[in-house]
C-alpha cells in the first residue's frame, strides 16, 4: 500500500469534482466543481484498509476528507467509493467505515501525532478505546461519528484556520459549570486549524424539533381542543427550554464578558436588516406590500439608546437543542452557518438567540400545514400552539434572565429580520413554505 | 383514678368469645395476649431465594373480593375460595391491606388488636386457612402492619390513659403540654390542627402524626419495641410471608427535627429485619415511605451488606409519571425519574404499581404537573381526593384497551416487582359518587349474576354497591365473561404474566434505557446473565418509527416474546422498528442459528 500518500491520491483529483457536489456537506450546492487540488494528505493508519487524512481545495473552498484505501472494497462500503488510485486500489469516504473510524479513538487516547496532526484529549479526560463507531447520517455541514454510547466526534468538513468558536464556547461554558452543554473530550488539529471536535455523547437525548412537533401533531389530531388542553402540551418543556437558554447566556456573559452596543451600533444593525430586506425584496414580490411595516420596525431599532451584547449561540433553533433526561442541552456553537468567521465571532444581543427560537416555535407549529389548502381552523389552532409555547419559552427565560419581552422593539426587529431571511430561503427552496414566515410578518406587524 | 372508660374495645368490636388482647389482666397489670401456638399454622410456601425480586403482587381488599357467608362483606374464607382464579392468573403474592380488629375509622389502619382479625372478615384460624391454601398453590401472602400507631381503642392505649404508672403507662408519647416537636408537619391538614391531642382521662396530651384517634406508639420505650417485634413474630409463626410496613418514617420523635427518617427509626427497622433473617428467613419487609427514591433507599439499609432494613420499598413517583408520559406522548417524565433513582442494595427490590386502594398520589410531582394531571385525569372535582385522583386504571384511560395494555406492559417490564390492583385485570370501573376513597373499593365483579357474583346477600346489604353503569357495570365487565373470551384483557394479562415469569431479566435484570431520537418512544434493555430483553413502548397514540442503536448485539435475532416471531437480525446500522399507536414490543435477544444447527 501507499507510503507516500500525497502523490498517490493526486490522481484522485480527477474523480473528486464529480463526487463532491453529491455530498450533503458540499457548500456550493447545485454548482459544478471545476478543479480539485489535494492540498495535504497524510497517512493515519497503514495497512489494508489504510486511513488517509486529506485537505482539498475545490475551486478555492477548503474541504476535509478522510479516505479509506483498499484493494478490495467490501460490499457495505461500495456506495462510499470515490474512485481508483493509480496503483489500482480504491479510495472511499472513510467516515462510512466503522472499523477505521473506531481506530480514531486510539489516536486520541495516545495523544498521537499521526499524520502530522495533533490528537489532543481535553485536560483530565481519559479517552476510552475499543468502542464501536457509527456515522450519524443527518447533518448538513459536517459529519459526525458516534463511538459506543460515549463520544461524538464532529469532523468539520470545511475547517477554518484560527480559534474554533464551537470548541472555545463549549470550553468556556463547561468551565463556568454549565449543565446545558455536552462536555468536550478531545480535539484534532493541524497547525492552527481545528479539524475535529469530540464531545460526550448524549445518547438518551431527543431533538427539540422532534419533541416539539410531536406536541403539534397531537394538537392537530384533535378537532377543537386548545393547545393547553391536549395531552401533548409542550408549554412545560418550552418553559424549561427558555430557562436553559437563559442559563447559557448568563454563563457566556460571565465567562466571556458583556459589552454595550451604543446608538451607532444599533443603527448599523438596522442598516444590516434593511440590506437583507432589500435583497429579499428583489427576489420575492410578495414581500413588497409588507415593505413599509418592516422598514418601520427596523428603523425603530435606530431609536434605541443601545443594548448589551455578548457571545451567544448564534444559530439557535429547535434543531440545536436536545432534550436529555437531565434537561435541555444546546449544541453546535459554530454560529451562523453561512457567515464568515469574523462575523460569527462578533458579540451580539442575546435576543438574537431568543428570536431564533421564537421563530422556530412558529415553524414547528405550522410545518404540518405547509402546502395544505389554507384552513382557518387549523391555522388558528397552530398559531395558538405557537403563541402558548413562545410565551412559555419567554417566561422560562425570565426565571433566569431578563424577560425578553421587555425589550419588545429589538426582539420584534430580530424576529422580523429572521422572517425576511426565511422568506428568501423558502422562496428559493420550498415555495410551499413561504406562507409561514409571511404570516409571521403579518401577525407581528399587525399587532404592533 | 376511677374513671371506667366507656370504650371497652373487646365488647365494642365483637371480639367476645374470640381470643384477643386483654381478655385477662395479670396481677402485675399486664394484658394477656393471644399466642401463635393457640392457632393453626399454615404449611410453608415453596422455598425460593429472593422470590420477591421477581414476584408479581396482587393487592386485594378482603372486604371487596368474595363474600363466603352472605353478609354483604368479603371475608378471608371467601378470598380463599378464589385462590384457584389467582393461581390461574399467575399471581405470586397477595398483598392484603389490614384485616386486624379495628374500629374502622381509617380503613383498618387504626388497629385495635394486632392479634385478632376483624370479626366480619373471620378469625385468625380463617387467615391461617387462607395462608395454607395459598401456599398450597405457590402463592404467598403479605399484609400491612402499622408500626407507628394504634387505634385509641387498642387495650394498650386504654391501659396507658387509665394507668399512667402501670406497665402500659409509657407505651404512648405523653406530655403535659402540646409544645414539643413543633417542627413536625401535620400530615392530615384537612382534619387535624395539631399533632397533640388532650386526653381528659389521663389529663395529658398524646402525640399522633396521623388522626387524633391514632396515638403514636412510644418507641423510646424498649417494651414497646419488644411488643411490636412480638407482633411480627406472632404472624410470622402462623406462616405469613411478610409485611408491608405502613408509615415507617415516623417511629421516633426528636426535638429540633421534623421527626421523620430519624436514625433511631432505621435502627429499629434493622431490629425487625434481624428477627426476619434469624428466625424467619425468606419472609419480606416492604416499606411504605411516600418520598423521593433517593430518600427511600435509606430504608433498604446498608448497601455494603446487601441491605439490612426493608427488602422492598414502593417507588411512588414512577406511577404518576407513567400517566404523564403517555398523556404528553413523551418518554422524559419516565426517563427522568428512573435516572434520578439511585442504585439499590443487592438484596433489595422496588415495588411498582399503577393503581392501588389509595388515590393516584400526586405528592411526587411538581405543582404544575399536578394541575395538569387534575385537568387531564380528574375532570370532575369529585374525582380528586387529598392530593391525588381517585380512579381506577380503566376509567383513567378512557377505557382504551390499547392504553391499558401499554400501561400494564410498562408495569410488568420496568425495574421493580409489579403490584396489580384487584379488578384492573378485567378493566373494572369506579364509582366516584361514593365517599372518601371508596370509589375504587367496590365489590369484585365475578359474574353477571346478582351482586356481581360477589355475595348472595340482598343487594342493599352490600358494604358498597357493585358498579352497575352501562360501560363498566358487572353485567358486562366480569371475570366469567372475560374467561369465556380468549381475547379479553384478562386472558391478555395472564399471558403477559406468563411471559414475565419465563424471563428472569424482568425481575432480576439490570436496566438500561436505550435512547432514541424519537421522544415518544421509550425503549430499554433488561439483562440478567444470558437473558437479554428489550422493551420498546410507543407512548404516543399515533404510529411511530424508532431507530435503536443495538450494534452491540450485531448478528443477534430479536424474538418477540408474546408470539415467538423472529425479527430481522440486528446489524451495524440502527435497528428500525415501527410501532402502532400505544403499541409496545418485548423482544428477547437471541444469538443467531449456527450453520447446520437442526431446525
Amino acid at each position: 500500500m501507499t507510503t507516500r500518500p500525497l502523490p498517490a491520491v493526486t490522481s484522485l483529483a480527477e474523480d473528486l469534482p464529480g463526487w463532491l457536489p453529491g455530498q450533503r456537506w458540499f457548500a456550493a450546492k447545485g454548482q459544478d466543481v471545476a478543479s480539485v487540488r489535494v492540498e495535504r494528505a497524510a497517512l493515519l493508519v497503514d495497512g489494508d484498509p489504510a486511513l488517509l487524512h486529506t485537505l482539498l481545495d475545490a475551486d478555492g473552498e477548503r474541504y476535509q476528507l478522510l479516505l479509506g484505501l483498499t484493494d478490495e472494497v467490501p460490499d457495505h462500503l461500495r456506495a462510499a467509493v470515490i474512485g481508483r488510485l493509480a496503483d489500482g486500489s480504491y479510495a472511499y469516504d472513510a467516515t462510512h467505515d466503522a472499523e477505521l473510524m473506531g481506530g480514531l479513538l486510539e489516536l486520541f487516547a495516545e495523544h498521537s501525532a499521526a499524520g502530522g496532526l495533533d490528537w489532543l484529549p481535553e485536560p483530565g479526560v481519559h479517552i476510552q478505546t475499543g468502542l464501536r463507531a457509527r456515522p450519524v447520517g443527518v447533518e448538513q455541514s459536517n459529519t459526525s461519528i458516534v463511538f459506543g454510547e460515549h463520544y461524538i466526534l464532529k469532523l468539520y468538513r470545511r475547517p477554518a484556520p484560527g480559534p474554533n468558536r464551537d470548541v472555545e464556547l463549549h470550553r468556556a461554558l463547561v468551565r463556568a459549570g454549565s449543565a446545558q452543554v455536552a462536555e468536550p473530550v478531545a480535539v484534532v488539529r493541524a497547525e492552527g486549524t481545528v479539524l475535529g471536535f469530540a464531545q460526550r455523547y448524549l445518547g438518551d437525548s431527543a431533538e427539540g424539533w422532534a419533541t416539539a412537533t410531536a406536541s403539534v401533531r397531537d394538537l392537530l389530531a384533535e378537532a377543537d381542543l386548545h393547545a393547553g388542553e391536549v395531552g401533548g402540551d409542550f408549554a412545560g418543556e418550552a418553559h424549561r427550554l427558555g430557562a436553559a437558554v437563559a442559563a447559557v447566556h448568563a454563563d457566556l456573559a460571565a465567562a466571556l464578558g458583556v459589552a454595550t452596543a451604543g446608538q451607532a451600533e444599533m443603527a448599523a444593525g438596522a442598516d444590516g436588516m434593511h440590506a437583507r430586506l432589500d435583497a429579499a425584496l428583489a427576489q420575492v414580490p410578495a414581500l413588497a406590500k409588507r415593505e413599509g411595516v418592516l422598514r418601520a420596525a427596523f428603523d425603530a431599532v435606530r431609536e434605541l439608546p443601545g443594548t448589551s451584547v455578548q457571545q451567544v449561540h448564534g444559530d439557535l433553533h429547535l434543531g440545536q437543542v436536545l432534550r436529555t433526561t437531565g434537561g435541555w442541552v444546546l449544541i453546535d456553537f459554530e454560529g451562523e452557518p453561512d457567515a464568515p468567521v469574523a462575523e460569527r465571532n462578533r458579540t451580539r444581543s442575546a435576543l438574537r438567540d431568543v428570536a431564533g427560537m421564537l421563530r422556530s416555535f412558529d415553524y414547528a407549529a405550522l410545518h404540518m400545514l405547509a402546502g395544505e389548502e389554507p384552513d382557518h381552523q387549523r391555522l388558528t389552532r397552530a398559531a395558538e400552539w405557537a403563541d402558548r409555547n413562545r410565551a412559555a419559552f419567554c417566561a422560562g427565560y425570565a426565571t433566569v434572565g431578563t424577560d425578553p419581552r421587555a425589550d419588545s422593539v429589538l426582539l420584534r426587529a430580530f424576529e422580523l429580520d429572521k422572517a425576511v431571511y426565511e422568506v428568501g430561503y423558502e422562496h428559493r427552496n420550498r415555495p410551499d413554505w413561504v406562507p409561514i414566515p409571511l404570516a409571521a410578518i403579518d401577525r407581528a406587524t399587525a399587532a404592533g | 383514678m376511677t374513671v371506667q372508660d366507656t370504650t371497652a374495645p373487646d365488647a365494642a368490636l365483637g371480639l367476645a368469645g374470640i381470643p384477643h388482647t386483654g381478655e385477662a389482666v395479670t396481677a402485675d397489670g399486664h394484658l394477656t395476649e393471644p399466642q401463635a401456638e393457640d392457632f393453626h399454622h399454615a404449611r410453608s410456601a415453596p422455598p425460593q431465594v429472593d422470590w420477591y425480586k421477581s414476584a408479581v403482587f396482587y393487592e386485594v381488599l378482603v372486604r371487596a373480593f368474595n363474600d363466603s357467608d352472605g353478609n354483604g362483606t368479603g371475608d378471608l374464607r371467601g378470598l380463599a375460595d378464589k385462590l384457584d382464579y389467582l393461581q390461574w392468573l399467575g399471581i405470586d403474592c397477595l398483598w392484603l391491606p389490614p384485616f386486624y380488629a379495628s374500629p374502622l375509622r381509617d380503613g383498618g389502619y387504626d388497629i385495635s388488636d394486632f392479634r385478632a382479625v376483624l370479626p366480619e372478615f373471620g378469625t385468625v384460624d380463617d387467615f391461617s386457612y387462607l395462608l395454607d391454601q395459598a401456599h398450597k398453590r405457590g402463592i404467598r401472602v403479605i399484609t400491612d402492619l402499622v408500626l407507628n400507631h394504634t387505634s385509641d381503642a387498642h387495650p394498650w392505649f386504654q391501659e396507658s390513659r387509665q394507668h399512667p404508672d402501670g406497665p402500659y403507662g409509657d407505651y404512648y408519647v405523653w406530655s403535659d403540654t402540646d409544645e414539643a416537636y413543633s417542627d413536625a408537619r401535620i400530615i392530615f391538614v384537612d382534619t387535624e390542627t395539631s399533632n397533640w391531642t388532650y386526653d381528659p382521662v389521663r389529663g395529658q396530651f398524646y402525640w399522633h402524626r396521623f388522626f387524633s384517634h391514632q396515638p403514636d406508639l412510644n418507641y423510646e420505650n424498649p417494651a414497646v419495641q419488644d411488643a411490636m417485634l412480638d407482633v411480627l413474630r406472632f404472624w410470622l409463626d402462623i406462616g405469613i410471608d411478610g409485611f408491608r410496613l405502613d408509615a415507617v418514617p415516623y417511629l421516633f420523635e426528636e426535638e429540633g427535627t421534623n421527626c421523620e427518617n430519624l436514625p433511631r427509626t432505621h435502627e429499629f427497622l434493622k431490629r425487625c429485619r434481624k428477627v426476619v433473617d434469624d428466625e424467619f428467613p425468606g419472609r419480606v419487609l416492604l416499606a411504605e415511605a411516600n418520598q423521593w427514591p433517593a430518600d427511600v433507599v435509606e430504608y433498604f439499609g446498608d448497601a455494603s451488606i446487601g441491605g439490612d432494613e426493608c427488602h422492598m420499598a414502593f417507588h411512588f413517583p414512577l406511577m404518576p409519571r407513567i400517566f404523564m408520559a403517555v398523556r404528553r406522548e413523551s418518554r422524559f417524565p419516565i426517563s427522568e425519574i428512573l435516572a434520578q433513582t439511585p442504585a439499590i442494595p443487592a438484596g433489595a427490590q422496588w415495588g411498582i404499581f399503577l393503581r392501588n386502594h389509595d388515590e393516584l398520589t400526586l405528592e411526587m410531582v411538581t405543582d404544575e404537573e399536578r394541575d395538569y394531571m387534575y385537568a387531564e385525569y380528574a375532570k370532575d372535582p369529585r374525582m380528586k381526593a387529598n392530593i391525588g385522583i381517585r380512579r381506577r386504571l380503566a376509567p383513567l384511560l378512557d377505557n382504551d384497551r390499547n392504553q391499558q395494555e401499554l400501561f400494564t406492559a410498562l408495569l410488568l417490564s420496568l425495574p421493580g416487582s409489579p403490584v396489580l390492583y384487584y379488578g384492573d385485570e378485567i378493566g373494572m370501573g369506579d364509582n366516584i359518587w361514593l365517599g372518601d376513597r371508596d370509589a375504587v373499593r367496590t365489590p369484585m365483579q365475578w359474574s353477571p349474576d346478582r351482586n356481581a357474583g360477589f355475595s348472595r346477600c340482598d343487594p342493599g346489604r352490600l358494604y358498597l354497591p357493585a358498579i352497575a353503569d352501562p360501560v363498566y357495570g358487572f353485567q358486562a365487565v366480569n371475570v366469567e365473561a372475560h374467561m369465556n373470551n380468549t381475547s379479553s384483557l384478562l386472558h391478555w394479562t395472564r399471558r403477559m404474566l406468563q411471559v414475565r415469569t419465563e424471563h428472569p431479566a424482568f425481575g432480576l435484570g439490570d436496566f438500561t434505557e436505550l435512547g432514541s431520537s424519537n421522544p415518544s418512544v421509550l425503549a430499554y434493555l433488561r439483562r440478567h446473565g444470558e437473558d437479554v430483553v428489550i422493551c420498546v413502548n410507543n407512548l404516543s397514540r399515533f404510529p411511530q418509527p424508532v431507530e435503536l442503536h443495538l450494534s452491540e448485539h450485531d448478528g443477534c435475532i430479536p424474538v418477540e416474546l408474546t408470539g415467538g416471531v423472529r425479527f430481522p437480525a440486528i446489524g451495524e446500522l440502527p435497528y428500525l422498528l415501527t410501532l402502532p399507536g400505544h403499541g409496545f414490543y418485548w423482544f428477547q435477544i437471541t444469538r443467531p442459528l449456527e450453520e447446520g444447527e437442526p431446525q
Side-chain angles (χ1 to χ4, degrees):
Chain A
M1 276 307 308
T2 174
T3 47
R4 282 183 305 157
L6 186 54
V9 294
T10 314
S11 60
L12 204 59
E14 289 167 27
D15 297 303
L16 285 167
W19 182 79
L20 276 177
Q23 304 312 303
R24 204 190 275 269
W25 37 264
F26 182 67
K29 290 203 174 49
Q31 293 175 30
D32 287 338
V33 177
S35 80
V36 176
R37 193 166 52 81
V38 179
E39 270 187 350
R40 185 181 192 286
L43 196 62
L44 296 178
V45 178
D46 204 354
D48 187 346
L51 179 60
L52 222 62
H53 179 265
T54 62
L55 291 174
L56 312 174
D57 180 304
D59 294 345
E61 283 284 350
R62 180 191 249 190
Y63 289 96
Q64 173 175 216
L65 196 55
L66 287 176
L67 287 180
L69 302 181
T70 182
D71 289 339
E72 260 178 85
V73 183
D75 280 346
H76 69 279
L77 291 173
R78 238 170 251 289
V81 169
I82 300 167
R84 276 185 103 154
L85 302 188
D87 66 0
S89 63
Y90 293 88
Y92 60 93
D93 181 350
T95 56
H96 295 280
D97 186 332
E99 275 174 41
L100 281 179
M101 291 299 100
L104 296 182
L105 286 183
E106 274 148 49
L107 301 181
F108 282 120
E110 294 161 5
H111 298 240
S112 167
L117 311 178
D118 300 319
W119 302 81
L120 297 173
E122 293 288 292
V125 173
H126 170 76
I127 299 285
Q128 192 179 331
T129 57
L131 302 172
R132 267 169 196 277
R134 58 185 164 86
V136 180
V138 293
E139 273 168 298
Q140 287 297 330
S141 47
N142 297 306
T143 299
S144 290
I145 316 288
V146 169
F147 300 94
E149 290 297 303
H150 291 65
Y151 312 120
I152 181 163
L153 170 66
K154 186 196 294 182
L155 292 168
Y156 297 104
R157 285 300 188 171
R158 294 160 63 200
N164 179 297
R165 185 171 193 268
D166 199 13
V167 175
E168 299 304 322
L169 292 195
H170 268 102
R171 284 178 176 161
L173 284 164
V174 166
R175 272 198 304 273
S178 174
Q180 284 83 30
V181 289
E183 181 201 357
V185 295
V187 292
V188 51
R189 285 190 323 216
E191 287 98 43
T193 303
V194 175
L195 300 169
F197 178 34
Q199 290 170 270
R200 200 69 67 191
Y201 178 59
L202 304 172
D204 62 351
S205 63
E207 213 189 59
W209 176 260
T211 314
T213 51
S215 165
V216 175
R217 206 170 50 214
D218 190 58
L219 171 71
L220 293 179
E222 297 289 346
D224 52 4
L225 291 178
H226 293 284
E229 296 170 337
V230 292
D233 183 22
F234 192 70
E237 291 292 356
H239 192 273
R240 283 186 279 274
L241 178 56
V245 170
V248 166
H249 284 160
D251 286 338
L252 285 173
L256 302 170
V258 187
T260 306
Q263 221 161 4
E265 284 142 302
M266 303 305 278
D271 290 345
M273 297 178 192
H274 281 295
R276 285 185 287 274
L277 176 57
D278 291 340
L281 278 167
Q283 286 181 25
V284 191
L287 268 179
K289 66 175 182 182
R290 288 140 175 126
E291 183 181 352
V293 284
L294 286 167
R295 296 222 185 266
F298 297 154
D299 282 331
V301 173
R302 289 183 209 280
E303 309 301 319
L304 297 174
T307 191
S308 62
V309 290
Q310 62 167 99
Q311 287 296 337
V312 299
H313 181 279
D315 182 29
L316 196 60
H317 53 80
L318 284 164
Q320 301 278 40
V321 293
L322 300 177
R323 177 66 159 96
T324 72
T325 49
W328 286 99
V329 165
L330 278 59
I331 56 170
D332 287 336
F333 284 74
E334 289 171 75
E336 236 173 291
D338 295 321
V341 174
E343 179 68 19
R344 293 182 188 201
N345 286 337
R346 264 187 38 211
T347 54
R348 54 193 71 219
S349 165
L351 291 180
R352 276 271 182 206
D353 281 351
V354 173
M357 197 57 93
L358 295 183
R359 289 297 311 131
S360 196
F361 278 117
D362 202 43
Y363 258 74
L366 293 166
H367 79 288
M368 283 179 74
L369 308 184
E372 284 185 6
E373 276 300 304
D375 175 323
H376 182 67
Q377 169 77 359
R378 281 163 72 79
L379 279 169
T380 305
R381 297 175 65 242
E384 196 178 89
W385 185 95
D387 289 345
R388 176 174 171 80
N389 287 287
R390 286 158 52 97
F393 177 85
C394 290
Y397 192 100
T399 61
V400 176
T402 313
D403 192 328
R405 291 166 295 193
D407 230 340
S408 58
V409 171
L410 195 54
L411 183 60
R412 196 158 73 99
F414 283 150
E415 270 208 77
L416 289 171
D417 182 39
K418 180 92 186 168
V420 166
Y421 162 81
E422 291 162 1
V423 169
Y425 179 91
E426 301 301 5
H427 180 77
R428 289 191 302 277
N429 298 294
R430 300 185 291 195
D432 276 352
W433 292 52
V434 172
I436 295 180
L438 279 184
I441 292 171
D442 291 343
R443 271 205 314 278
T445 50
Chain B
M1 186 159 307
T2 54
V3 177
Q4 275 310 305
D5 191 74
T6 49
T7 318
D10 46 356
L13 298 169
L15 293 176
I18 297 171
H20 62 272
T21 298
E23 269 181 285
V25 183
T26 62
D28 59 358
H30 282 91
L31 301 167
T32 59
E33 303 197 319
Q35 301 301 310
E37 46 273 27
D38 304 341
F39 303 97
H40 293 108
H41 289 214
R43 80 187 79 186
S44 300
Q48 188 193 340
V49 183
D50 289 356
W51 61 269
Y52 54 90
K53 285 192 186 171
S54 41
V56 174
F57 290 73
Y58 185 89
E59 184 191 0
V60 55
L61 308 181
V62 174
R63 181 181 301 281
F65 210 55
N66 189 33
D67 173 16
S68 71
D69 57 6
N71 68 352
T73 294
D75 45 53
L76 293 166
R77 290 271 170 179
L79 174 53
D81 289 344
K82 294 297 186 182
L83 286 168
D84 284 339
Y85 164 75
L86 296 169
Q87 183 186 21
W88 173 85
L89 182 55
I91 297 304
D92 300 303
C93 183
L94 298 182
W95 159 29
L96 310 182
F99 50 77
Y100 311 96
S102 163
L104 299 179
R105 297 177 68 187
D106 182 24
Y109 287 87
D110 49 332
I111 298 167
S112 58
D113 191 340
F114 291 111
R115 296 173 187 239
V117 167
L118 187 70
E120 60 198 71
F121 289 173
T123 62
V124 174
D125 277 332
D126 289 335
F127 177 74
S128 161
Y129 171 77
L130 165 70
L131 200 51
D132 188 67
Q133 291 299 308
H135 287 173
K136 181 178 161 192
R137 292 164 175 82
I139 296 174
R140 289 176 162 80
V141 182
I142 65 169
T143 189
D144 280 46
L145 182 64
V146 185
L147 294 175
N148 184 64
H149 50 257
T150 69
S151 162
D152 61 2
H154 197 291
W156 290 348
F157 185 72
Q158 294 304 321
E159 286 295 314
S160 192
R161 67 198 300 207
Q162 291 174 46
H163 306 295
D165 300 322
Y168 301 93
D170 204 19
Y171 257 48
Y172 295 84
V173 183
W174 295 99
S175 170
D176 290 333
T177 72
D178 60 357
E179 285 153 17
Y181 315 131
S182 55
D183 294 336
R185 71 193 164 109
I186 296 165
I187 292 168
F188 289 149
V189 286
D190 288 350
T191 51
E192 304 299 328
T193 55
S194 167
N195 286 324
W196 291 103
T197 291
Y198 183 74
D199 177 40
V201 176
R202 176 152 161 162
Q204 277 187 305
F205 293 90
Y206 62 89
W207 176 253
H208 55 86
R209 286 311 298 273
F210 295 88
F211 294 112
S212 60
H213 58 76
Q214 289 169 334
D216 275 30
L217 285 163
N218 176 22
Y219 276 86
E220 308 266 340
N221 180 355
V224 168
Q225 296 196 19
D226 292 342
M228 289 308 289
L229 291 174
D230 282 342
V231 169
L232 292 178
R233 289 190 182 95
F234 174 84
W235 293 103
L236 290 167
D237 261 336
I238 285 171
I240 201 159
D241 297 288
F243 298 98
R244 169 183 175 274
L245 301 178
D246 193 69
V248 291
Y250 313 102
L251 302 187
F252 282 84
E253 294 77 39
E254 214 163 275
E255 202 58 69
T257 72
N258 64 1
C259 302
E260 295 178 19
N261 311 316
L262 296 180
R264 285 188 296 171
T265 294
H266 287 286
E267 277 168 36
F268 180 69
L269 289 172
K270 285 182 172 43
R271 282 192 72 190
C272 294
R273 174 65 177 261
K274 193 160 162 43
V275 166
V276 171
D277 284 352
D278 292 353
E279 302 169 37
F280 305 96
R283 320 292 179 88
V284 302
L285 301 175
L286 164 58
E288 188 235 15
N290 192 352
Q291 299 181 325
W292 292 102
D295 300 322
V296 173
V297 285
E298 298 292 314
Y299 287 95
F300 293 126
D302 186 351
S304 69
I305 51 170
D308 59 355
E309 292 183 27
C310 292
H311 302 77
M312 294 182 70
F314 278 128
H315 195 308
F316 278 91
L318 177 61
M319 176 266 300
R321 279 157 186 277
I322 293 175
F323 284 88
M324 175 150 268
V326 173
R327 210 63 162 194
R328 287 258 195 261
E329 309 197 5
S330 162
R331 65 184 145 94
F332 288 104
I334 298 174
S335 304
E336 275 178 352
I337 199 67
L338 290 174
Q340 289 165 22
T341 301
I344 58 176
Q349 178 65 297
W350 291 109
I352 60 176
F353 55 95
L354 295 171
R355 295 296 308 108
N356 62 31
H357 63 280
D358 282 335
E359 65 269 36
L360 193 159
T361 50
L362 298 180
E363 286 158 3
M364 294 292 122
V365 297
T366 64
D367 289 349
E368 175 229 347
E369 289 171 336
R370 186 180 304 140
D371 292 346
Y372 178 86
M373 294 288 281
Y374 278 148
E376 287 296 321
Y377 291 109
K379 298 190 170 81
D380 187 302
R382 284 195 69 97
M383 294 174 180
K384 298 175 195 170
N386 294 349
I387 309 177
I389 297 171
R390 48 166 80 141
R391 310 228 56 193
R392 267 186 178 273
L393 186 62
L396 272 171
L397 303 179
D398 295 332
N399 210 21
D400 176 19
R401 172 76 181 266
N402 290 338
Q403 284 190 69
Q404 288 175 70
E405 292 187 2
L406 172 66
F407 273 69
T408 305
L410 285 165
L411 177 71
L412 297 182
S413 61
L414 284 167
S417 291
V419 183
L420 307 179
Y421 186 54
Y422 86 93
D424 282 350
E425 73 271 25
I426 54 169
M428 258 173 70
D430 49 35
N431 180 349
I432 59 165
W433 306 102
L434 298 173
D436 193 30
R437 300 163 189 171
D438 287 338
V440 299
R441 299 174 181 187
T442 58
M444 179 69 178
Q445 294 167 197
W446 294 103
S447 70
D449 303 333
R450 179 163 71 159
N451 300 330
F454 161 79
S455 170
R456 298 181 308 277
C457 72
D458 283 342
R461 201 180 166 191
L462 287 178
Y463 72 98
L464 286 176
I467 303 286
D469 67 59
V471 177
Y472 301 102
F474 63 85
Q475 297 285 356
V477 177
N478 61 68
V479 171
E480 190 180 294
H482 274 247
M483 284 275 206
N484 291 337
N485 172 4
T486 53
S487 70
S488 65
L489 183 64
L490 178 64
H491 276 278
W492 178 87
T493 305
R494 176 172 182 253
R495 281 195 297 275
M496 296 304 284
L497 294 185
Q498 281 170 343
V499 170
R500 191 180 194 278
T501 306
E502 287 158 13
H503 290 276
F506 287 113
L508 305 174
D510 54 22
F511 171 90
T512 313
E513 186 169 343
L514 302 169
S516 82
S517 55
N518 189 330
S520 298
V521 176
L522 176 70
Y524 42 86
L525 182 140
R526 307 291 318 269
R527 186 201 311 257
H528 179 68
E530 294 290 292
D531 189 29
V532 179
V533 171
I534 286 178
C535 307
V536 189
N537 304 279
N538 177 8
L539 308 178
S540 163
R541 54 195 168 134
F542 305 115
Q544 298 282 341
V546 64
E547 286 189 343
L548 297 175
H549 297 295
L550 302 175
S551 51
E552 181 198 343
H553 307 281
D554 192 2
C556 291
I557 310 283
V559 177
E560 201 280 327
L561 286 182
T562 62
V565 173
R566 294 162 66 83
F567 271 54
I570 296 166
E572 277 286 340
L573 295 175
Y575 196 77
L576 174 69
L577 287 168
T578 53
L579 297 109
H582 290 140
F584 74 94
Y585 296 124
W586 287 358
F587 293 112
Q588 184 179 25
I589 303 301
T590 63
R591 64 177 182 79
L593 290 175
E594 300 287 335
E595 192 126 359
E597 214 168 277
Q599 297 186 27

